[in-house]
Every structure is written in structure tokens, then in C-alpha cells.
Amino acid sequence: MSFSWRRVRAILRKELRDYRRNRFVIGTMAAVPVLFIILPTIQLIAANATNKALTLRIGLSLLYMLVIPVTMPSVVCAYAVVGEREQGTLEPVLSTPVRREEFLIAKALAAFVPTLVIAYAVFGIFLAIAALFAHPVIVSAIFMGSHVLVQFLFTPLLAGWAIWVGIAVSTRSTDVRVAQQLSVLGSLPPLVIVALMSLNVISESTALAIGLAAALLAFDLLAWRVVAAMFDRERLVIGGRG
Amino acid sequence: MEVRPPLVDPEATARSGSAEPTTVTEQVKVPVGPGPDGSRPDAALAVEHLTKRFGDRVAFDDVSFKVGYGEVFGFLGPNGAGKTTTVRTLGTLIAPSSGSASVAGIPLSAKNGSAIRSRISMMPESPGLYVRLTVTENLQCFAGLYDLDDVPGRIGRALRAVNLEDRARDLCGSLSKGLRQRVALARALLNDPAVLFLDEPTSGLDPVATREVHELISSLREQGVTIFLTTHRLEEAERLCDRVAILNTTLRLIGRPDELRQQLFRRSLDVRLRAPLGDPGDVLGAVPEIERWEQTPSGYALIVPDPDLAAPAVARALVRAGADVLSIAESHHSLEDVYLELVNEDVEAKAR
Ligand SMILES: Nc1ncnc2c1ncn2[C@@H]1O[C@H](COP(=O)(O)OP(=O)(O)OP(=O)(O)O)[C@@H](O)[C@H]1O
Ligand SMILES: [Mg+2]
């Protein structure tokens, strides 16, 4: 039997239905965007055209928004595996013909799709607010250079990394909260690199951004292979006891 | 308190104490049904010397048995006997430490996991439903995971089988334990499994819900579904199963419930008298049909090879001796007696 997208869809659909009725997940998905629209907007308002630290402020506000693809998947993914085990649904799912690749891709997509939608939406709203209300100098500073590119490129790549870290942690964990905290921690390193660039510690350029993105993509793919190799039905079913 | 005579056949217990399980029928009678592809009639489950260890702890050891298509096979054992671990092993969720097995005609191996899982279904100890999804949504998810065609038709049939059509739109979180169990059963029926594994399907259910699940299993049995049922409820095994195996880490006994009883317990007559005999040794010792006898509070327990032959002879001897006979009856042993006898033996063996 080969890889079946039907099985991936079955889990994905179930997951999205479950989110919709899960107060905790809905709460996270609602609170995160609100927070990460307010914070960058404050930076934007605090900045003025003559401020020397203008680039720093813009860098900071864009960075705030990249925190979304790092934190949200960690929180949701930890739930996706540990939460299923707590509900006792992991065993029935794993006793169907589902393959590990299908299971993992489905779980990953279930975190990836909402994260991407929300992160891009927040960025879109931020750009709209900036374009409408910010000083023209700030606006051109935002739209100039590689800011927008960085944001579009790094959102899915950071999310990808956070997802694999989240799934890896939660296949080995028995407690949702511990899993969430560890995942967030594990998702931070690539953000640091992006931060150094956004805050102009390493000078930002399109070439550098694309280079970093390619490196992060390679890491994402590697992480996927590692997580797939680590996947162990037996361990998942019998939990931390083995 | 009534003192029971030693009714256990010492030979049978000696045998069951050995590594080889006592097989009641010389040859395991495997009911013949259609094979996996409708052709070769083969065993639905064939297990040989299967062992699973978790580190130093042995979950089950050197277990061998066969289950035919269409058979309802009971897997009995006390807590911690290894029933769930056996089900999970045969369901390819965990790998055996040694031994081999074939499930629904497919050899058990890591490579065949997905193929085996598509031919069987398992109902775990706890129903494991998505509580924020409706009954139908739960079943839709699993129909997708089994890559099934005609999803609405199959869901409809599964719900009808468990009598849950009117709850299809309810959230699973709002259902009672018994209803959840039924949803889990419906889920296990979706893919028309060649072997249906039920792990303690009635644990924690009240008598009414238990009876409903029993009726469901009976009707599945009539439809020829092969069922592997673990339980520690003896009356359940006795009522529902064609054959039972008693597991306590190792397989202790295997056979039809009535055969197990006969095999393990010598047949005996219970004699009740108004007053004890003056000299029972003379009276009972003179009846050749009696192998052994013991006094009980209300009379005597007689070990006899053939109760039908012995009862009239015993009656005549008693009347000749002037005894007031209240009753002479064959004593019956439930599967529970068999089970307790075996399990107690194991407890005693461990204490030694
Ligand atoms: N993941 C595990 N790690 C270590 N030991 C385990 C694990 N799972 C089961 N065991 C041990 O294996 C033995 C068999 O357990 P199992 O759950 O199969 O028993 P069971 O017959 O299903 O019992 P019950 O009637 O309580 O459900 C027990 O001693 C148990 O402690
Ligand atoms: Mg069990």
C-alpha cells in the first residue's frame, strides 16, 4: 500500500473540526494574532520619521510577527499528539492502516495551515495599518528592501521547524503543558538567526535572506526525516511506560 | 460453610502446570469458513510461541493457538495476565519479542503492519472517541483512515448494527459510557474486518449495557464474524465463545467451555441425607462405581467416572443401609471454578 492522501485528509479534517470546538486551541489562535498586531503597531506608533532607531523599530515589529509561526505550531502540535494520547484516541487511530508518514504529515498540516493563515493575515493587517496610518517615511522603510520578502519566506519555514520540534517533543512526552513549553523552547533557535538579521546585527540583504531561507528549508526537511525515523507506534501506544 | 471435596483432577492440573497448555480437544477444531480471499480456508489467527517482554517484565510467554474463521474465541485471564498486550501485538501495534503469528492470513511483521491493520479492527479497552466530534464525524474519520468506499452507506450500516442511528448527530462527549462503547463497536465494524479484536468490551458497563453488548456480539457471531474477545468475566466467555483460552502470562488451558469444565474437574455426585450414615466407609466403599468419597455438611460428595451409572447404584446402597435420602444430584462446575482453580494455583506457585 502506498501513501494515501485520503488518510491524510481524514486526520486533517478531524483535526480542524476538533480545533473549532476546542476552547483552548481557539483561545490560542485568537489571542496570538491580537497580541501580535498590538505589539508591532505600538512600535510603529512610537517610531517617528526622524528617529535614528527607525530601522530597529521596524525590525522589531516584524520580528514580533515572526513569533507567531514559532509559538503557535508548538502549542497546537503538542496538543495533537499528547492530547490524543490523553483522550485515548491514539490507539484506535494507530490501529488503522494509517502509515507513519501519513499520520505525521496530517498532524503537521493541521498545525501548518492555521498557522500560515493567521500569520499572513496578521502581517497583512499590519501592512494595511502601516500604509494607512504611519508616516510615509516609515511606510517606505517597511516596503523597501527585503522586509516583506523575509516575512513571507520565513513564516512557513519557521513554522515548519516549530512543527517538527513540537511533534518530536510530544511523541516522547506524556504531559501537554510540558510538551508545549519544551516545544516553544526548541523552536526558538532559528528565530534568533532571523532576529539578528531583522535587527540589523548582521546586515540584511536579499541574498542573505534567501541563503538563510534555503538553509532553514534544508533543516526543515532534515527534521521531517528525523521525526519520521523516530516515530514508533509501540512507544506512542504504550506511552512513557516503555 | 460448606467444605468442598477435592474435585480437581490431579492429572489435569499437573498437565496445566507444565509449559504446554492443556488442549482439550486433541486436535484444535478450527471451524472452516471462507479464507481471506474467499478461497483457501485458513486460520484467521495462527500464533506460535509468541512472547512479549517489556525489559525484564514478561507480559506473555510462549503463547500458541489457532482461531478459525467465524469462530468467537475468548481470551480469559486475571488483571495483568497479558491479554491487552497480546491484542496489541496481534494488531501490529507492538512488536513481539519472539515467536511468530499470522493474522487474517498475513504473517505478522513490521513490513505487513499496514496490510494487516486494513484487514482487522480493534476495539481497545477504553473507547477512545473524539469527544468534540459527533458520532458520524468520528466514523467518517475512521472510514477515511481505512480508505473505504461508500462511506455514508457503511456508516449507516454500522450504526444500525449497534442500534445508534438516532444518536448519529450527537457529540461523543455527551454520550454515556455504554453508548460510547457502542460507537467504538460501530467504528470497529466499518471495514468489515476479517478478525475483530474486542478488549474487555463490557468493562465498566452496567448490567443492561453489558447485556446489549453481549447481544451485539451474539448477532455478529451469527453473521460469521471472527471475534477475538478478551475478558475476565467468565460468564461472558461461557455465553459468547466457541472456545476459550485461559492466559496467565503463559497459556494455561484452551478448549470449549464445557470441555474445560469436564477436563479439569472429576465428575461427582452430591448426596444429601437427613442424617449421616453410621458407617459410611462400609456403605459407600461397597459400591464399585464410586472412586472416592468425602463427607460434606449435608451428606457426601462422591467422585464417580460416570454419574448416570453410579446414581442408581448409590441410591440402592443407601436405601439398603436404611438412610433417608433427600437428593442425589450431579454437581456442576462453572467455568469460574476452572478459572479460579487455575489462577489460585498460579498465586500459590508464585508464593512458594
Ligand atoms: N508498557 C509497558 N511497560 C512495562 N510493562 C508493561 C507495559 N504494558 C504492560 N505491561 C505489563 O505486562 C503485563 C500484562 O499487561 P496487560 O495490560 O497485557 O494485562 P491485561 O491482561 O490486559 O490486564 P487487565 O485485565 O488489567 O487489562 C503486566 O504485568 C503489565 O504490568
Ligand atoms: Mg487489559
Side-chain angles (χ1 to χ4, degrees), chain B residues 181-316:
Chain B
Q181 207 78 350
R182 283 204 254 164
V183 178
L185 199 53
R187 183 180 65 196
L189 293 175
L190 279 176
N191 65 328
D192 292 326
V195 186
L196 173 60
F197 290 91
L198 303 175
D199 195 1
E200 295 188 26
T202 57
S203 77
L205 298 189
D206 70 20
V208 176
T210 300
R211 153 133 0 132
E212 282 172 1
V213 171
H214 284 175
E215 279 164 5
L216 276 169
I217 294 172
S218 295
S219 79
L220 292 174
R221 178 192 188 173
E222 273 156 33
Q223 292 161 37
V225 179
T226 310
I227 298 176
F228 186 92
L229 170 83
T230 83
T231 180
H232 47 228
R233 295 200 190 193
L234 297 135
E235 80 288 355
E236 185 165 290
E238 199 151 27
R239 232 176 94 175
L240 300 172
C241 300
D242 298 309
R243 282 192 309 142
V244 299
I246 299 183
L247 179 83
N248 201 2
T249 311
T250 56
L251 205 58
R252 306 303 310 277
L253 267 179
I254 184 165
R256 290 215 317 267
D258 54 336
E259 288 174 334
L260 290 190
R261 264 198 306 274
Q262 274 182 26
Q263 174 79 12
L264 206 58
F265 290 94
R266 284 301 183 82
R267 302 183 83 182
S268 67
L269 290 176
D270 262 331
V271 175
R272 285 174 60 233
L273 304 178
R274 191 180 295 283
L277 292 168
D279 193 349
D282 277 0
V283 178
L284 299 174
V287 182
E289 284 83 359
I290 299 176
E291 260 183 39
R292 221 167 56 226
W293 63 270
E294 291 221 350
Q295 188 138 15
T296 62
S298 57
Y300 301 90
L302 316 176
I303 309 293
V304 295
D306 185 349
D308 291 349
L309 221 68
V314 170
R316 278 194 297 273

Side-chain angles (χ1 to χ4, degrees), chain A residues 1 4 6-7 10 14 17-18 21-22 79 84 87-89 91-98 233-234, chain B residues 52 88 93-95 114 117-118 128-133 137 140-142 144-148 151 187:
Chain A
M1 255 177 284
S4 154
R6 172 106 187 270
R7 286 198 274 267
K14 179 262 342 169
R17 277 173 168 160
D18 199 90
R21 298 171 196 153
N22 185 334
Y79 202 82
E84 284 227 30
Q87 275 191 67
T89 48
E91 186 171 348
V93 169
L94 293 179
S95 48
T96 68
V98 73
R233 226 169 261 268
E234 175 159 346
Chain B
K52 176 66 187 179
R88 286 173 171 173
L93 286 175
I94 61 184
S114 186
R117 288 195 299 275
S118 68
L129 304 172
Y130 295 108
V131 290
R132 281 180 289 269
L133 264 56
E137 287 167 348
Q140 280 170 346
C141 174
F142 280 79
L145 287 173
Y146 280 107
D147 220 339
L148 300 174
V151 174
R187 183 180 65 196

Side-chain angles (χ1 to χ4, degrees), chain A residues 105-161:
Chain A
I105 289 283
K107 287 288 176 186
L109 282 177
F112 191 72
V113 172
T115 300
L116 216 59
V117 168
I118 290 173
Y120 280 158
V122 166
F123 187 48
I125 294 171
F126 171 80
L127 290 182
I129 293 175
L132 289 176
F133 303 111
H135 194 280
V137 177
I138 298 176
V139 177
S140 64
I142 291 174
F143 285 95
M144 186 198 70
S146 51
H147 285 314
V148 177
L149 176 76
V150 164
Q151 213 71 12
F152 268 97
L153 225 49
F154 281 85
T155 298
L157 292 172
L158 288 171
W161 174 262

